Amino acid sequence: MFFVDFPRQIVIGILVYLTEMKKIGIITSGGDSPGMNACLRAVVRTAVHHKIEVIGFYKGYEGLIDNDAVNLTTTSVSGIIQRGGTILKTARSARFMKEEGINSAAKNIKDLGIEGFVIIGGDGSFRGAIELSKKINIPIVGCAGTIDNDLVGTDFTIGYDTAINTVVEAVDKIRDTAESHDRVFVIEVMGRDAGLIALRSAIASGAEALLVPEMKNDIDILLKKIKNWRSSKSSKIIIVAEGDEYGGAYKVGDLIRKTCPEFDVRVTVLGHIQRGGNPTCMERVNASLIGYNAVLALKNGHKNEMVGIINKKICFTPFEKAVKHIETLDRDLLNMIEVLSS
Ligand code: F6P
């Protein structure tokens, strides 16, 4: 029996070895976000555990076009789980928007014998992945990495939790001076197309109002509200998402000055401070889970999908669907702000 089975087992073993993925590529792409390093670490260490070699490309699609590659090992990702930014660097690649750039990236992937690919990034990066997948027939999986939290298919993108905590810390500080001087503060937060950073940070910082791209004509409501503020109200914080239709915090500040000259108005734009800093605990855990599952997904045959977490469960969303922006904000949260900020 042993002599009959032995060669069969060897044949099966060889077949399994031949069909198993042995080399994957990875980039971090688009705007960096805290937690990208934790995700990268999880991808590399999970791959190494499964005897898969990992090639990293610097500066996102730029490095892929130029073949600016590095072999990533367990030690390459030591000591990075707590660091903001991305050790692989990142870029918004204009060259990858053109046929020539995509062809060059696809050729480099083929020449290096890469059999699967992981992209840590946001909607622009996943749009790039869709184009890349038309040129190479290898599975690509995405790890949702952006501070904006505007991808469909995950409760929280990598970077969002840290960014909103950064905003809340800054608004708490601004509140001290705002209340001391009885001033109205208009604070601009990031979110070109989405008001999700504004929404949660407004709730957590106890802001009086918010302006977001998802809601139209909210300025009229805001101005009316300001007019009716009770005189004893010392907190007057308005959070504005940068993508809001009224053109950012400075324009909103001017409008308030014109309509309500009785108020002393100041404007603060928080800017890129929101993209940096050490990832929060929740960020590190989620980023690790997403990176770990990205490798398992490649091994299990997932293709052109984003890995996300919904209700604590890992889930997969095709890139085409993931990049559709979240167009409505949670009504319950908006209503709650109205009540709590009275
Ligand atoms: O990555 C998302 C984001 O932080 C947006 O919130 C913001 O509008 C944009 O990136 C800024 O990008 P950049 O750093 O390229 O100016």
Side-chain angles (χ1 to χ4, degrees), residues 35-43 80-83 279 283-285 287-288 291:
M36 278 186 165
N37 279 329
C39 184
L40 173 68
R41 170 181 177 270
V43 168
I80 66 167
I81 193 168
Q82 79 285 8
R83 282 170 60 187
E283 206 83 86
R284 297 179 201 191
V285 174
S288 301

PDB file of all heavy atoms in Angstrom, residues 35-43 80-83 279 283-285 287-288 291:
ATOM      1  N   GLY A  35      -1.139  53.981   9.309  1.00  0.00           N
ATOM      2  CA  GLY A  35      -1.594  52.585   9.319  1.00  0.00           C
ATOM      3  C   GLY A  35      -1.149  51.844   8.060  1.00  0.00           C
ATOM      4  O   GLY A  35      -1.183  50.618   8.005  1.00  0.00           O
ATOM      5  N   MET A  36      -0.699  52.606   7.054  1.00  0.00           N
ATOM      6  CA  MET A  36      -0.214  51.933   5.837  1.00  0.00           C
ATOM      7  C   MET A  36       0.971  51.026   6.171  1.00  0.00           C
ATOM      8  O   MET A  36       1.096  49.918   5.656  1.00  0.00           O
ATOM      9  CB  MET A  36       0.205  52.960   4.782  1.00  0.00           C
ATOM     10  CG  MET A  36      -0.953  53.516   3.969  1.00  0.00           C
ATOM     11  SD  MET A  36      -0.388  54.571   2.640  1.00  0.00           S
ATOM     12  CE  MET A  36      -1.886  54.660   1.637  1.00  0.00           C
ATOM     13  N   ASN A  37       1.867  51.512   7.055  1.00  0.00           N
ATOM     14  CA  ASN A  37       3.028  50.700   7.432  1.00  0.00           C
ATOM     15  C   ASN A  37       2.612  49.420   8.154  1.00  0.00           C
ATOM     16  O   ASN A  37       3.178  48.353   7.921  1.00  0.00           O
ATOM     17  CB  ASN A  37       3.961  51.503   8.341  1.00  0.00           C
ATOM     18  CG  ASN A  37       4.864  52.429   7.548  1.00  0.00           C
ATOM     19  OD1 ASN A  37       5.234  52.119   6.423  1.00  0.00           O
ATOM     20  ND2 ASN A  37       5.196  53.569   8.130  1.00  0.00           N
ATOM     21  N   ALA A  38       1.596  49.552   9.023  1.00  0.00           N
ATOM     22  CA  ALA A  38       1.121  48.368   9.756  1.00  0.00           C
ATOM     23  C   ALA A  38       0.553  47.349   8.773  1.00  0.00           C
ATOM     24  O   ALA A  38       0.736  46.130   8.921  1.00  0.00           O
ATOM     25  CB  ALA A  38       0.062  48.784  10.772  1.00  0.00           C
ATOM     26  N   CYS A  39      -0.123  47.843   7.752  1.00  0.00           N
ATOM     27  CA  CYS A  39      -0.712  46.952   6.748  1.00  0.00           C
ATOM     28  C   CYS A  39       0.388  46.269   5.921  1.00  0.00           C
ATOM     29  O   CYS A  39       0.363  45.055   5.694  1.00  0.00           O
ATOM     30  CB  CYS A  39      -1.650  47.780   5.852  1.00  0.00           C
ATOM     31  SG  CYS A  39      -2.530  46.800   4.645  1.00  0.00           S
ATOM     32  N   LEU A  40       1.378  47.078   5.525  1.00  0.00           N
ATOM     33  CA  LEU A  40       2.506  46.541   4.750  1.00  0.00           C
ATOM     34  C   LEU A  40       3.215  45.441   5.539  1.00  0.00           C
ATOM     35  O   LEU A  40       3.534  44.365   5.018  1.00  0.00           O
ATOM     36  CB  LEU A  40       3.477  47.697   4.440  1.00  0.00           C
ATOM     37  CG  LEU A  40       4.794  47.336   3.778  1.00  0.00           C
ATOM     38  CD1 LEU A  40       4.566  46.846   2.357  1.00  0.00           C
ATOM     39  CD2 LEU A  40       5.736  48.553   3.762  1.00  0.00           C
ATOM     40  N   ARG A  41       3.439  45.716   6.810  1.00  0.00           N
ATOM     41  CA  ARG A  41       4.104  44.739   7.692  1.00  0.00           C
ATOM     42  C   ARG A  41       3.317  43.430   7.722  1.00  0.00           C
ATOM     43  O   ARG A  41       3.890  42.336   7.631  1.00  0.00           O
ATOM     44  CB  ARG A  41       4.206  45.339   9.095  1.00  0.00           C
ATOM     45  CG  ARG A  41       4.648  44.396  10.193  1.00  0.00           C
ATOM     46  CD  ARG A  41       4.668  45.167  11.504  1.00  0.00           C
ATOM     47  NE  ARG A  41       5.004  44.361  12.644  1.00  0.00           N
ATOM     48  CZ  ARG A  41       4.111  43.706  13.387  1.00  0.00           C
ATOM     49  NH1 ARG A  41       2.835  43.749  13.058  1.00  0.00           N
ATOM     50  NH2 ARG A  41       4.513  43.012  14.441  1.00  0.00           N
ATOM     51  N   ALA A  42       1.987  43.562   7.825  1.00  0.00           N
ATOM     52  CA  ALA A  42       1.150  42.354   7.893  1.00  0.00           C
ATOM     53  C   ALA A  42       1.204  41.570   6.579  1.00  0.00           C
ATOM     54  O   ALA A  42       1.288  40.337   6.581  1.00  0.00           O
ATOM     55  CB  ALA A  42      -0.291  42.750   8.222  1.00  0.00           C
ATOM     56  N   VAL A  43       1.199  42.289   5.466  1.00  0.00           N
ATOM     57  CA  VAL A  43       1.267  41.611   4.161  1.00  0.00           C
ATOM     58  C   VAL A  43       2.590  40.854   4.051  1.00  0.00           C
ATOM     59  O   VAL A  43       2.623  39.657   3.723  1.00  0.00           O
ATOM     60  CB  VAL A  43       1.138  42.638   2.990  1.00  0.00           C
ATOM     61  CG1 VAL A  43       1.490  41.991   1.655  1.00  0.00           C
ATOM     62  CG2 VAL A  43      -0.275  43.227   2.945  1.00  0.00           C
ATOM     63  N   ILE A  80       7.985  49.152  12.325  1.00  0.00           N
ATOM     64  CA  ILE A  80       7.227  50.157  11.556  1.00  0.00           C
ATOM     65  C   ILE A  80       5.745  50.205  11.924  1.00  0.00           C
ATOM     66  O   ILE A  80       5.028  51.086  11.473  1.00  0.00           O
ATOM     67  CB  ILE A  80       7.363  49.956  10.024  1.00  0.00           C
ATOM     68  CG1 ILE A  80       6.710  48.636   9.558  1.00  0.00           C
ATOM     69  CG2 ILE A  80       8.811  50.049   9.583  1.00  0.00           C
ATOM     70  CD1 ILE A  80       6.539  48.539   8.046  1.00  0.00           C
ATOM     71  N   ILE A  81       5.270  49.267  12.736  1.00  0.00           N
ATOM     72  CA  ILE A  81       3.825  49.209  13.003  1.00  0.00           C
ATOM     73  C   ILE A  81       3.317  50.526  13.608  1.00  0.00           C
ATOM     74  O   ILE A  81       2.179  50.932  13.380  1.00  0.00           O
ATOM     75  CB  ILE A  81       3.463  47.991  13.892  1.00  0.00           C
ATOM     76  CG1 ILE A  81       1.947  47.775  13.898  1.00  0.00           C
ATOM     77  CG2 ILE A  81       3.991  48.133  15.318  1.00  0.00           C
ATOM     78  CD1 ILE A  81       1.489  46.451  14.484  1.00  0.00           C
ATOM     79  N   GLN A  82       4.170  51.212  14.349  1.00  0.00           N
ATOM     80  CA  GLN A  82       3.743  52.439  15.045  1.00  0.00           C
ATOM     81  C   GLN A  82       3.983  53.705  14.238  1.00  0.00           C
ATOM     82  O   GLN A  82       3.612  54.789  14.662  1.00  0.00           O
ATOM     83  CB  GLN A  82       4.470  52.535  16.401  1.00  0.00           C
ATOM     84  CG  GLN A  82       5.904  53.032  16.352  1.00  0.00           C
ATOM     85  CD  GLN A  82       6.912  52.004  15.833  1.00  0.00           C
ATOM     86  OE1 GLN A  82       6.542  50.933  15.351  1.00  0.00           O
ATOM     87  NE2 GLN A  82       8.190  52.325  15.897  1.00  0.00           N
ATOM     88  N   ARG A  83       4.586  53.562  13.054  1.00  0.00           N
ATOM     89  CA  ARG A  83       4.968  54.767  12.303  1.00  0.00           C
ATOM     90  C   ARG A  83       3.923  55.224  11.303  1.00  0.00           C
ATOM     91  O   ARG A  83       3.346  54.424  10.573  1.00  0.00           O
ATOM     92  CB  ARG A  83       6.288  54.510  11.554  1.00  0.00           C
ATOM     93  CG  ARG A  83       7.494  54.590  12.473  1.00  0.00           C
ATOM     94  CD  ARG A  83       8.759  54.109  11.803  1.00  0.00           C
ATOM     95  NE  ARG A  83       9.105  54.873  10.609  1.00  0.00           N
ATOM     96  CZ  ARG A  83      10.097  54.541   9.789  1.00  0.00           C
ATOM     97  NH1 ARG A  83      10.821  53.466  10.038  1.00  0.00           N
ATOM     98  NH2 ARG A  83      10.360  55.274   8.740  1.00  0.00           N
ATOM     99  N   PRO A 279      -0.297  55.807  14.084  1.00  0.00           N
ATOM    100  CA  PRO A 279      -1.649  55.259  14.004  1.00  0.00           C
ATOM    101  C   PRO A 279      -2.196  54.875  15.379  1.00  0.00           C
ATOM    102  O   PRO A 279      -1.442  54.454  16.251  1.00  0.00           O
ATOM    103  CB  PRO A 279      -1.487  54.028  13.107  1.00  0.00           C
ATOM    104  CG  PRO A 279      -0.035  53.734  13.052  1.00  0.00           C
ATOM    105  CD  PRO A 279       0.689  55.007  13.352  1.00  0.00           C
ATOM    106  N   GLU A 283      -6.474  51.528  14.495  1.00  0.00           N
ATOM    107  CA  GLU A 283      -5.900  51.574  13.139  1.00  0.00           C
ATOM    108  C   GLU A 283      -4.915  50.431  12.914  1.00  0.00           C
ATOM    109  O   GLU A 283      -4.931  49.762  11.879  1.00  0.00           O
ATOM    110  CB  GLU A 283      -5.151  52.902  13.009  1.00  0.00           C
ATOM    111  CG  GLU A 283      -5.028  53.400  11.615  1.00  0.00           C
ATOM    112  CD  GLU A 283      -6.294  54.122  11.223  1.00  0.00           C
ATOM    113  OE1 GLU A 283      -6.408  55.319  11.496  1.00  0.00           O
ATOM    114  OE2 GLU A 283      -7.182  53.471  10.645  1.00  0.00           O
ATOM    115  N   ARG A 284      -4.029  50.245  13.899  1.00  0.00           N
ATOM    116  CA  ARG A 284      -2.986  49.219  13.758  1.00  0.00           C
ATOM    117  C   ARG A 284      -3.608  47.827  13.668  1.00  0.00           C
ATOM    118  O   ARG A 284      -3.171  46.974  12.891  1.00  0.00           O
ATOM    119  CB  ARG A 284      -2.024  49.259  14.951  1.00  0.00           C
ATOM    120  CG  ARG A 284      -1.270  50.570  15.045  1.00  0.00           C
ATOM    121  CD  ARG A 284      -0.354  50.589  16.253  1.00  0.00           C
ATOM    122  NE  ARG A 284      -0.021  51.961  16.628  1.00  0.00           N
ATOM    123  CZ  ARG A 284       0.904  52.299  17.495  1.00  0.00           C
ATOM    124  NH1 ARG A 284       1.612  51.364  18.103  1.00  0.00           N
ATOM    125  NH2 ARG A 284       1.139  53.556  17.776  1.00  0.00           N
ATOM    126  N   VAL A 285      -4.649  47.614  14.475  1.00  0.00           N
ATOM    127  CA  VAL A 285      -5.298  46.288  14.478  1.00  0.00           C
ATOM    128  C   VAL A 285      -6.014  46.067  13.143  1.00  0.00           C
ATOM    129  O   VAL A 285      -5.840  45.034  12.487  1.00  0.00           O
ATOM    130  CB  VAL A 285      -6.292  46.173  15.660  1.00  0.00           C
ATOM    131  CG1 VAL A 285      -7.076  44.869  15.575  1.00  0.00           C
ATOM    132  CG2 VAL A 285      -5.557  46.280  16.987  1.00  0.00           C
ATOM    133  N   ALA A 287      -5.521  47.599  10.250  1.00  0.00           N
ATOM    134  CA  ALA A 287      -4.567  47.545   9.141  1.00  0.00           C
ATOM    135  C   ALA A 287      -3.886  46.175   9.096  1.00  0.00           C
ATOM    136  O   ALA A 287      -3.672  45.604   8.017  1.00  0.00           O
ATOM    137  CB  ALA A 287      -3.522  48.641   9.312  1.00  0.00           C
ATOM    138  N   SER A 288      -3.578  45.614  10.273  1.00  0.00           N
ATOM    139  CA  SER A 288      -2.947  44.291  10.326  1.00  0.00           C
ATOM    140  C   SER A 288      -3.906  43.230   9.795  1.00  0.00           C
ATOM    141  O   SER A 288      -3.523  42.368   8.999  1.00  0.00           O
ATOM    142  CB  SER A 288      -2.540  43.943  11.765  1.00  0.00           C
ATOM    143  OG  SER A 288      -1.643  44.902  12.260  1.00  0.00           O
ATOM    144  N   GLY A 291      -4.191  43.588   5.970  1.00  0.00           N
ATOM    145  CA  GLY A 291      -2.986  43.119   5.283  1.00  0.00           C
ATOM    146  C   GLY A 291      -2.867  41.595   5.323  1.00  0.00           C
ATOM    147  O   GLY A 291      -2.572  40.942   4.313  1.00  0.00           O
TER     148      GLY A 291
END
